[in-house]
Amino acid sequence: METTPQLWTKTEGAAHAAPEQVGFDSGQLGKLDAHYAELIAQGLLQGGGHLVARNGKIASWSAMGRLNGVKGEGSLQPDSIRKLSSLTKAFTTIALVKLIEDGKLDLDQPVAALLEEFDNGTYRDVTLFHLLTHTSGISPVPGYYNEPYPRRWYDPDSHKSWIVQALTGLPVCKPGEAYNYTSTGYALLGEIVSRVSGERFEEYVMNRIVRPLGLERTWFDVPAELHAEVCVVDQYDIDSLGQSADNWKVIPRAASGIYSTMYDLWKLGQMLLNGGTFEGRRILGRKSVELLTKRHLFRVPAYHWGGQIKDKGHALGFDLAIHSTSYESQGTYQLEGAGRIALFVDPVESMVVVLLVPSVHSWVPRSVLGTKQIIWSSLV
């Protein structure tokens, strides 16, 4: 353990190899410490952490900053627990693909065959593929269009079912016409997992993905005795952590809700990089991983919070690096969660990178883009 000049405690996780042993320049990689410390000192980050692995070996793993941003106390640790927010969607996608492996679903299947609320002229053409790629036309997350007064779609006191509420109103586009990031679509995918598997969505993910993969610090409901090890940035984080699992029995936590660590996310990414296996345990077939991670959208536009993207690269549930301006290799599949935690898998460089950069700010570009640039430019 060491202390930076800014008096932020930095803690190292156990590495498998020195950076140079797996093709990194340790001097360049070491710039991350000052990078995080500067962002913390500027009040942009609460803490900064990363896990960088190549060829199946962890070369750098550390964290610094505060664990609890509300009280300004505790030290962020390499194995601190963090709510994954939208990174939960990666687990949902894997769950869907496992059911495809079992012959129970297929990508082109109409959702109307599974959820009767879709069996109408407005939503009948929506398929599982559209839900998985955010191209269903279902209303995107509040604020996606930079609207000044976003509205929530779900009222727990309404007499309408949550699925009917999710489909109330007109779609924002025809299926397949545009990418509109929708968490509602992933909640619907969670409902489909439940109905087809016969298990609650959360139980299916825990029984078929989390436990078989050996993710020892990953839960939808963090044990009470470990609440003090969870990284929180605001009161909402604290309130969510304290809620009973009974509060989540209506809508599956398939868009957001699982908690995990950088180490467990490395295992998930390494499993995908290995073609579906990790340390002898098979979670997915090789062709299933190919289906998950290859490009599926071509020349599909996305408003994307004002980004006005003309060609949104997307795999299934994962964003995809498709532009030559990206520091990560083209074909890198990645996903971020608000708050902020991110997973990147670069097949070209055989790399898995996990970032933990918690902040009360919705988006700190340097904390993700700048951090990626430091990491990928350390390759030799």
Side-chain angles (χ1 to χ4, degrees), residues 258-276:
I258 203 166
Y259 292 78
S260 192
T261 64
M262 290 192 285
Y263 187 72
D264 274 5
L265 284 176
W266 164 67
K267 288 183 179 181
L268 183 76
Q270 193 64 49
M271 177 271 293
L272 295 172
L273 194 57
N274 293 347

Side-chain angles (χ1 to χ4, degrees), residues 65-234:
R66 291 284 177 251
L67 181 69
N68 189 315
V70 178
K71 297 181 179 180
E73 62 185 28
S75 295
L76 190 67
Q77 299 294 312
D79 65 345
S80 289
I81 303 161
R82 180 71 178 131
K83 187 176 182 178
L84 300 190
S85 298
S86 286
L87 230 169
T88 303
K89 294 177 175 69
F91 289 85
T92 304
T93 305
I94 293 170
L96 258 293
V97 171
K98 286 188 69 65
L99 290 171
I100 290 173
E101 283 189 335
D102 292 343
K104 296 180 179 180
L105 294 173
D106 64 79
L107 282 182
D108 293 326
Q109 193 165 359
V111 178
L114 302 160
L115 302 177
E116 62 183 11
E117 292 87 348
F118 279 75
D119 193 13
N120 53 65
T122 302
Y123 289 103
R124 191 173 292 125
D125 292 335
V126 174
T127 65
L128 291 181
F129 175 84
H130 293 135
L131 291 182
L132 284 163
T133 57
H134 301 280
T135 57
S136 65
I138 292 172
S139 294
V141 292
Y144 179 77
Y145 291 118
N146 295 328
E147 60 269 31
Y149 310 110
R151 65 173 184 172
R152 65 175 187 173
W153 63 269
Y154 174 62
D155 178 3
D157 297 321
S158 173
H159 67 280
K160 298 179 180 178
S161 74
W162 73 267
I163 298 178
V164 169
Q165 291 184 63
L167 301 181
T168 298
L170 293 174
V172 295
C173 68
K174 295 179 180 179
E177 187 175 77
Y179 174 103
N180 293 280
Y181 185 82
T182 170
S183 287
T184 309
Y186 268 74
L188 292 163
L189 287 170
E191 180 69 19
I192 290 168
V193 169
S194 295
R195 295 193 187 188
V196 173
S197 70
E199 302 178 55
R200 284 185 62 229
F201 167 77
E202 292 84 353
E203 292 173 352
Y204 184 88
V205 170
M206 294 298 294
N207 292 337
R208 306 301 177 92
I209 303 170
V210 173
R211 295 189 184 102
L213 189 51
L215 307 185
E216 297 178 354
R217 286 169 69 82
T218 299
W219 312 267
F220 283 94
D221 302 296
V222 180
E225 64 270 20
L226 295 178
H227 283 190
E229 297 181 29
V230 178
C231 173
V232 295
V233 302
D234 54 24

